[in-house]
Protein backbone atom coordinates (compact mmCIF):
# COMPACT_ATOMS: atom_id res chain seq x y z
CA UNK A 1 0.00 0.00 0.00
CA UNK A 2 0.98 3.64 -0.26
CA UNK A 3 0.99 6.34 2.39
CA UNK A 4 0.89 9.80 0.90
CA UNK A 5 -0.06 13.37 1.72
CA UNK A 6 -0.56 16.70 -0.02
CA UNK A 7 -1.48 20.30 0.72
CA UNK A 8 -2.63 23.36 -1.19
CA UNK A 9 1.03 24.06 -1.93
CA UNK A 10 2.19 20.77 -3.42
CA UNK A 11 2.11 17.01 -3.27
CA UNK A 12 3.92 15.70 -0.23
CA UNK A 13 5.98 12.56 0.30
CA UNK A 14 4.78 9.10 -0.68
CA UNK A 15 5.89 5.97 1.16
CA UNK A 16 5.58 2.36 0.05
CA UNK A 17 4.32 0.27 2.99
CA UNK A 18 5.06 -3.39 2.37
CA UNK A 19 3.41 -4.74 5.51
CA UNK A 20 0.11 -4.12 7.26
CA UNK A 21 0.05 -0.60 8.61
CA UNK A 22 0.41 -0.79 12.38
CA UNK A 23 0.44 2.08 14.84
CA UNK A 24 4.24 1.97 15.14
CA UNK A 25 4.66 2.10 11.33
CA UNK A 26 2.21 4.95 11.14
CA UNK A 27 4.00 6.89 13.86
CA UNK A 28 7.37 6.48 12.14
CA UNK A 29 5.98 7.78 8.85
CA UNK A 30 4.30 10.73 10.53
CA UNK A 31 7.45 11.66 12.42
CA UNK A 32 9.88 11.07 9.55
CA UNK A 33 7.82 12.16 6.54
CA UNK A 34 4.81 14.24 7.54
CA UNK A 35 6.48 16.32 10.25
CA UNK A 36 9.23 17.89 8.10
CA UNK A 37 6.86 18.36 5.19
CA UNK A 38 4.07 20.12 7.07
CA UNK A 39 6.44 22.33 9.07
CA UNK A 40 8.07 23.38 5.79
CA UNK A 41 4.78 24.14 4.05
CA UNK A 42 3.26 25.83 7.16
CA UNK A 43 6.25 27.39 8.95
CA UNK A 44 4.06 29.66 11.07
CA UNK A 45 2.30 26.72 12.73
CA UNK A 46 -1.11 27.32 11.12
CA UNK A 47 -1.26 24.00 9.28
CA UNK A 48 -4.19 21.63 9.85
CA UNK A 49 -3.64 17.94 9.17
CA UNK A 50 -6.53 15.71 8.17
CA UNK A 51 -6.56 11.92 8.21
CA UNK A 52 -9.29 9.29 8.30
CA UNK A 53 -10.22 7.13 11.26
CA UNK A 54 -8.18 4.05 10.41
CA UNK A 55 -7.23 2.18 13.56
CA UNK A 56 -3.53 2.98 13.16
CA UNK A 57 -4.39 6.70 12.94
CA UNK A 58 -6.43 6.56 16.14
CA UNK A 59 -3.84 4.60 18.14
CA UNK A 60 -2.86 6.16 21.45
CA UNK A 61 0.82 6.61 20.57
CA UNK A 62 -0.11 8.39 17.35
CA UNK A 63 -2.62 10.75 18.96
CA UNK A 64 -0.17 11.51 21.77
CA UNK A 65 2.45 12.48 19.18
CA UNK A 66 0.03 14.94 17.59
CA UNK A 67 -0.79 16.41 21.01
CA UNK A 68 2.92 16.97 21.62
CA UNK A 69 3.20 18.94 18.36
CA UNK A 70 0.12 21.16 18.56
CA UNK A 71 2.39 24.22 18.58
CA UNK A 72 3.53 23.29 15.05
CA UNK A 73 0.23 22.19 13.45
CA UNK A 74 -3.18 20.89 14.44
CA UNK A 75 -4.91 17.56 13.86
CA UNK A 76 -8.43 17.94 12.50
CA UNK A 77 -11.18 16.04 14.29
CA UNK A 78 -12.64 13.76 11.64
CA UNK A 79 -16.22 12.38 11.61
CA UNK A 80 -16.50 8.60 11.16
CA UNK A 81 -17.36 7.03 7.82
CA UNK A 82 -16.84 10.19 5.79
CA UNK A 83 -14.77 9.28 2.72
CA UNK A 84 -16.53 11.89 0.56
CA UNK A 85 -15.09 14.61 2.79
CA UNK A 86 -11.54 13.38 2.29
CA UNK A 87 -9.78 15.55 -0.33
CA UNK A 88 -7.24 12.80 -0.92
CA UNK A 89 -9.96 10.67 -2.53
CA UNK A 90 -10.07 13.19 -5.38
CA UNK A 91 -6.31 12.84 -5.91
CA UNK A 92 -6.72 9.06 -6.09
CA UNK A 93 -9.52 9.46 -8.65
CA UNK A 94 -7.27 11.63 -10.82
CA UNK A 95 -4.43 9.09 -10.55
CA UNK A 96 -6.77 6.22 -11.37
CA UNK A 97 -8.09 7.86 -14.53
CA UNK A 98 -4.59 8.81 -15.63
CA UNK A 99 -3.41 5.23 -15.14
CA UNK A 100 -6.41 3.87 -17.02
CA UNK A 101 -5.73 6.30 -19.88
CA UNK A 102 -2.02 5.41 -19.99
CA UNK A 103 -2.80 1.69 -19.98
CA UNK A 104 -5.49 2.05 -22.61
CA UNK A 105 -8.24 0.80 -20.30
CA UNK A 106 -11.38 2.02 -22.00
CA UNK A 107 -15.01 1.01 -21.68
CA UNK A 108 -14.41 -1.99 -23.93
CA UNK A 109 -11.59 -3.35 -21.79
CA UNK A 110 -12.19 -6.87 -20.44
CA UNK A 111 -10.20 -7.88 -17.36
CA UNK A 112 -9.27 -11.52 -16.74
CA UNK A 113 -7.92 -13.18 -13.58
CA UNK A 114 -8.18 -16.43 -11.65
CA UNK A 115 -10.40 -17.17 -8.65
CA UNK A 116 -7.89 -16.66 -5.89
CA UNK A 117 -9.83 -15.57 -2.74
CA UNK A 118 -8.10 -12.21 -2.62
CA UNK A 119 -9.46 -11.42 -6.09
CA UNK A 120 -13.02 -12.40 -5.20
CA UNK A 121 -13.19 -10.43 -1.94
CA UNK A 122 -16.11 -8.01 -1.66
CA UNK A 123 -14.04 -4.79 -1.84
CA UNK A 124 -12.21 -6.07 -4.93
CA UNK A 125 -15.46 -7.05 -6.66
CA UNK A 126 -16.93 -3.63 -5.89
CA UNK A 127 -13.89 -1.92 -7.42
CA UNK A 128 -14.34 -3.96 -10.61
CA UNK A 129 -18.04 -3.13 -10.69
CA UNK A 130 -17.36 0.60 -10.86
CA UNK A 131 -14.03 0.68 -12.68
CA UNK A 132 -13.91 -2.37 -14.94
CA UNK A 133 -17.43 -3.74 -15.39
CA UNK A 134 -16.36 -6.24 -18.05
CA UNK A 135 -14.58 -8.55 -15.65
CA UNK A 136 -14.39 -12.02 -17.22
CA UNK A 137 -15.64 -14.70 -14.83
CA UNK A 138 -14.40 -18.26 -15.12
CA UNK A 139 -14.25 -21.54 -13.15
CA UNK A 140 -11.09 -22.92 -11.55
CA UNK A 141 -9.14 -23.37 -14.77
CA UNK A 142 -5.45 -22.52 -14.42
CA UNK A 143 -4.73 -23.92 -17.88
CA UNK A 144 -6.90 -21.18 -19.35
CA UNK A 145 -5.04 -18.40 -17.59
CA UNK A 146 -2.61 -16.74 -20.03
CA UNK A 147 -0.55 -15.22 -17.22
CA UNK A 148 0.62 -18.74 -16.35
CA UNK A 149 2.40 -18.93 -19.71
CA UNK A 150 4.04 -15.55 -19.20
CA UNK A 151 5.15 -16.58 -15.72
CA UNK A 152 6.68 -19.76 -17.09
CA UNK A 153 8.55 -17.65 -19.63
CA UNK A 154 9.73 -15.40 -16.81
CA UNK A 155 10.84 -18.40 -14.76
CA UNK A 156 12.92 -19.76 -17.64
CA UNK A 157 14.63 -16.42 -18.08
CA UNK A 158 15.30 -15.94 -14.36
CA UNK A 159 16.78 -19.43 -13.97
CA UNK A 160 19.49 -18.52 -16.47
CA UNK A 161 20.99 -16.14 -13.90
CA UNK A 162 23.30 -17.07 -11.06
CA UNK A 163 21.24 -15.59 -8.23
CA UNK A 164 22.51 -15.72 -4.67
CA UNK A 165 20.36 -13.26 -2.70
CA UNK A 166 16.72 -12.21 -2.43
CA UNK A 167 17.54 -8.69 -3.61
CA UNK A 168 19.30 -10.10 -6.69
CA UNK A 169 16.22 -12.21 -7.41
CA UNK A 170 13.92 -9.18 -7.18
CA UNK A 171 16.17 -7.15 -9.47
CA UNK A 172 16.47 -9.91 -12.06
CA UNK A 173 12.73 -10.61 -12.02
CA UNK A 174 11.92 -6.95 -12.64
CA UNK A 175 14.52 -6.66 -15.40
CA UNK A 176 13.42 -9.84 -17.14
CA UNK A 177 9.76 -8.90 -16.81
CA UNK A 178 10.43 -5.63 -18.60
CA UNK A 179 12.32 -7.51 -21.33
CA UNK A 180 9.48 -9.88 -22.20
CA UNK A 181 8.89 -9.21 -25.86
CA UNK A 182 5.52 -7.82 -26.91
CA UNK A 183 5.28 -10.56 -29.53
CA UNK A 184 5.22 -13.15 -26.74
CA UNK A 185 2.28 -11.47 -25.02
CA UNK A 186 0.42 -11.06 -28.30
CA UNK A 187 0.96 -14.69 -29.30
CA UNK A 188 -0.03 -15.88 -25.83
CA UNK A 189 -3.21 -13.81 -25.93
CA UNK A 190 -4.17 -15.19 -29.33
CA UNK A 191 -3.58 -18.81 -28.33
CA UNK A 192 -5.43 -18.56 -25.03
CA UNK A 193 -8.30 -16.61 -26.54
CA UNK A 194 -8.92 -19.40 -29.01
CA UNK A 195 -8.53 -22.06 -26.28
CA UNK A 196 -10.96 -20.25 -24.01
CA UNK A 197 -13.55 -19.93 -26.74
CA UNK A 198 -13.24 -23.62 -27.57
CA UNK A 199 -13.64 -24.70 -23.94
CA UNK A 200 -16.41 -22.30 -22.96
CA UNK A 201 -18.29 -22.22 -26.25
CA UNK A 202 -18.21 -18.43 -26.44
Amino acid sequence: MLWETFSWAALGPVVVVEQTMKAANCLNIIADQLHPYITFVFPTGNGIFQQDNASCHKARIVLEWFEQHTDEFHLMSWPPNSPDLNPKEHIWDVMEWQLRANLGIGNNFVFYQDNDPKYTALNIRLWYLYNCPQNLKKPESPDLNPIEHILRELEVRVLKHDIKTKSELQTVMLEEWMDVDAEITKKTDEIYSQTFKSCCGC
Side-chain angles (χ1 to χ4, degrees), residues 122-173:
L122 177 60
N123 58 337
I124 301 298
R125 287 188 282 116
L126 286 175
W127 189 92
Y128 288 135
L129 178 63
Y130 290 103
N131 296 278
C132 191
Q134 297 193 70
N135 181 22
L136 187 61
K137 299 178 177 62
K138 70 178 188 66
E140 292 293 344
S141 308
D143 292 339
L144 298 179
N145 193 340
I147 194 65
E148 299 295 334
H149 177 75
I150 302 298
L151 291 176
R152 282 195 293 272
E153 174 71 22
L154 178 64
E155 181 181 4
V156 170
R157 293 172 177 235
V158 170
L159 288 175
K160 293 179 180 179
H161 296 265
D162 182 22
I163 300 172
K164 295 182 173 61
T165 65
K166 181 179 178 180
S167 60
E168 288 181 3
L169 175 61
Q170 292 176 338
T171 300
V172 170
M173 287 180 65

Side-chain angles (χ1 to χ4, degrees), residues 14-142:
V14 60
V15 180
V16 176
V17 182
E18 296 185 353
Q19 67 274 22
T20 302
M21 180 72 89
K22 304 288 187 181
N25 306 121
C26 182
L27 180 59
N28 288 336
I29 293 174
I30 289 171
D32 297 339
Q33 304 293 333
L34 173 67
H35 189 204
Y37 168 75
I38 201 167
T39 53
F40 175 78
V41 175
F42 300 100
T44 60
N46 63 337
I48 299 175
F49 180 66
Q50 178 271 322
Q51 62 181 1
D52 62 25
N53 291 316
S55 57
C56 59
H57 297 161
K58 304 296 288 184
R60 179 178 54 81
I61 58 172
V62 173
L63 296 180
E64 286 179 351
W65 187 93
F66 280 112
E67 289 178 2
Q68 295 168 4
H69 294 79
T70 52
D71 58 328
E72 297 175 280
F73 60 93
H74 299 280
L75 176 65
M76 179 186 293
S77 178
W78 196 246
N81 301 318
S82 307
D84 292 339
L85 299 177
N86 191 339
K88 195 162 61 176
E89 298 299 325
H90 175 68
I91 299 297
W92 280 118
D93 287 341
V94 172
M95 288 183 63
E96 178 184 325
W97 283 108
Q98 288 178 340
L99 284 171
R100 291 184 62 174
N102 292 337
L103 292 172
I105 301 178
N107 292 330
N108 61 341
F109 181 81
V110 180
F111 187 70
Y112 177 85
Q113 65 182 4
D114 62 28
N115 291 320
D116 187 288
K118 63 177 173 284
Y119 299 144
T120 56
L122 177 60
N123 58 337
I124 301 298
R125 287 188 282 116
L126 286 175
W127 189 92
Y128 288 135
L129 178 63
Y130 290 103
N131 296 278
C132 191
Q134 297 193 70
N135 181 22
L136 187 61
K137 299 178 177 62
K138 70 178 188 66
E140 292 293 344
S141 308

